[in-house]
Amino acid sequence: MVLSDKQLQILETAEKLFASKGFDGTSVRDIAEEAGVNLAMISYYFGSKLKLMEAIFEKRSMNVRERVDHLLQNSALEPMDKMYLLVDEYISRVMEKQQFFKIMLCEQVVNKNPVIIKLINELKFKNAESITRLIKDGQKRGAFKKNIDVVFMMSTMIGTITQVMISQDYYREFHNLQSLSDEQFDTHIKKKLGTYIKTIFKEILSYEG
């Protein structure tokens, strides 16, 4: 999916508004005004508000597929190192793209729009398929155990990251990290999350676990 700068601008604006106001609470006019474009341009590029949401989900799933393809082609890295890289990148993506993941979380909790729930499930399915390819490569190389439940494994990672993301103020106060700048806190939380999830993944995947 190759997008122009104007299309990316519209998608980023829609993502921000969907995250803050919800899908139902956001109109195409809201998106057009915030993005500084006319309604006809959004209709021309995407057709409808729902098509905008579909394009946002497609863009996010494409990122994972492309990264897994790149890792599979890298024969210099061990299978577990590839998984660790994916963990670090996924954490960074969630922390940097919190608006999108808030959309996913809110829409699943509200569960009022079956079309969006279908998009969320399709995104999970595509991501799980990509991770499965990486796991199968590790199994062929004798590095990973057989019979890995990818859905449980991914749910563990996504659930942990999501809970930390929405509970950052609580985590910061509990560990007395108020003196850290936002940038220092982000670095701290990414490192802690990475270490925690990699430990779990090593136990799940590796014979050394």
Side-chain angles (χ1 to χ4, degrees):
M1 181 173 60
V2 179
L3 299 171
S4 68
D5 290 342
K6 187 60 68 175
Q7 286 172 301
L8 287 171
Q9 178 186 341
I10 293 169
L11 285 180
E12 288 168 4
T13 301
E15 187 174 86
K16 181 179 75 173
L17 291 176
F18 290 156
S20 62
K21 301 173 66 174
F23 180 79
D24 290 337
T26 303
S27 68
V28 177
R29 184 175 296 279
D30 292 334
I31 297 167
E33 290 177 356
E34 184 75 17
V37 301
N38 57 52
L39 286 169
M41 182 175 289
I42 294 179
S43 178
Y44 173 75
Y45 281 136
F46 299 102
S48 67
K49 187 172 70 168
L50 186 56
K51 290 295 182 182
L52 265 173
M53 182 70 94
E54 289 176 358
I56 290 169
F57 274 81
E58 176 60 26
K59 184 171 179 286
R60 296 294 172 227
S61 65
M62 184 66 70
N63 291 338
V64 175
R65 293 201 298 272
E66 288 176 348
R67 185 55 181 143
V68 168
D69 286 342
H70 179 74
L71 288 172
L72 287 171
Q73 293 167 14
N74 190 338
S75 58
L77 286 174
E78 293 297 320
M80 190 60 74
D81 290 329
K82 294 179 182 181
M83 194 62 69
Y84 286 169
L85 276 174
L86 206 63
V87 168
D88 285 335
E89 291 175 9
Y90 197 89
I91 290 170
S92 293
R93 187 178 300 116
V94 173
M95 299 304 287
E96 291 165 10
K97 303 294 183 183
Q98 293 187 34
Q99 292 172 343
F100 175 72
F101 290 92
K102 284 178 181 177
I103 292 171
M104 288 188 65
L105 181 62
C106 292
E107 292 297 337
Q108 288 177 96
V109 170
V110 173
N111 194 18
K112 292 173 64 176
N113 193 320
V115 178
I116 295 178
I117 296 300
K118 183 173 181 288
L119 286 175
I120 292 171
N121 288 336
E122 286 174 350
L123 176 62
K124 290 180 180 179
F125 196 93
K126 289 175 183 176
N127 287 348
E129 282 185 325
S130 295
I131 302 302
T132 298
R133 291 166 56 212
L134 207 57
I135 291 172
K136 286 183 176 178
D137 179 66
Q139 289 170 333
K140 287 179 183 177
R141 297 172 63 177
F144 293 162
K145 300 172 185 175
K146 304 295 183 183
N147 302 319
I148 302 298
D149 193 317
V150 178
V151 174
F152 271 19
M153 192 181 84
M154 293 297 292
S155 295
T156 299
M157 178 175 72
I158 295 168
T160 301
I161 297 171
T162 301
Q163 283 301 313
V164 171
M165 179 187 74
I166 64 176
S167 306
Q168 291 180 64
D169 291 341
Y170 157 72
Y171 180 92
R172 195 169 191 163
E173 185 174 350
F174 184 85
H175 290 286
N176 297 312
L177 299 174
Q178 294 92 330
S179 62
L180 295 182
S181 67
D182 289 344
E183 185 177 347
Q184 289 172 328
F185 180 71
D186 283 349
T187 300
H188 171 84
I189 206 76
K190 286 177 184 177
K191 183 177 180 181
K192 292 283 286 187
L193 267 172
T195 300
Y196 183 77
I197 293 170
K198 288 171 191 175
T199 300
I200 294 173
F201 273 25
K202 185 175 182 180
E203 182 67 31
I204 293 171
L205 293 168
S206 173
Y207 291 106
E208 300 175 17

